[in-house]
Amino acid sequence: MDRSVRDLMTELPHTIGNDISIKKASEMMHEHHCHHLPVLHGGHLVGLLSQRDLKMAAAGSNNEDLKVEALMSDDPFVVKGNTPVRSVIEKMMADQMGSVIIQGEADKPWGIFTTNDALKLLVT
């Protein structure tokens, strides 16, 4: 498993602004069939929103007014594209993370590596 995370990542993932409603975020995830959205502010990565975050918010009452920034993880795991897949997967497993942001230029996400991408190793 000497491949880099770039070999298996999803390029140019869908992103969302930090000031968008969680209702819109949920709609976007459904529309784009994804479980993670890198969160941007002024074009720069500031966090990560997961389907799990949205499910926890749904358990509360009257949360439709909440913005993405209230639920997002503000310290997502970010790696360079040449990082070995094995080390990324080990970190994901150790910290129970469902995704990793692949660093682009100027703090913009270039890709995302998810548990689904990791599963590709079993069939390739």
Side-chain angles (χ1 to χ4, degrees):
M1 204 183 335
D2 58 348
R3 299 166 81 175
S4 70
V5 71
R6 180 186 305 120
D7 296 333
L8 295 168
M9 72 177 191
T10 300
E11 290 188 48
L12 303 172
H14 296 282
T15 61
I16 193 164
N18 67 320
D19 59 344
I20 303 299
S21 72
I22 62 169
K23 180 179 181 193
K24 177 64 176 170
S26 181
E27 291 168 358
M28 282 184 65
M29 284 185 186
H30 180 74
E31 176 184 345
H32 298 296
H33 308 287
C34 64
H35 299 276
H36 304 90
L37 291 171
V39 181
L40 305 180
H41 177 74
H44 298 280
L45 180 68
V46 295
L48 180 71
L49 183 71
S50 71
Q51 186 73 40
R52 185 178 354 176
D53 297 329
L54 293 176
K55 286 181 180 178
M56 289 188 337
S61 60
N62 200 16
N63 287 324
E64 287 192 10
D65 294 335
L66 279 177
K67 302 294 183 198
V68 166
E69 65 188 349
L71 296 179
M72 70 181 192
S73 299
D74 59 2
D75 190 23
F77 183 35
V78 179
V79 299
K80 294 185 179 191
N82 62 352
T83 305
V85 169
R86 181 180 196 91
S87 66
V88 172
I89 292 173
E90 287 171 348
K91 175 77 170 164
M92 290 172 72
M93 288 171 46
D95 294 350
Q96 298 181 351
M97 291 183 280
S99 66
V100 176
I101 303 296
I102 312 306
Q103 181 180 9
E105 295 184 24
D107 292 332
K108 294 182 182 174
W110 176 39
I112 191 166
F113 181 81
T114 67
T115 52
N116 284 340
D117 295 319
L119 289 171
K120 291 176 189 174
L121 287 171
L122 296 174
V123 295
T124 57

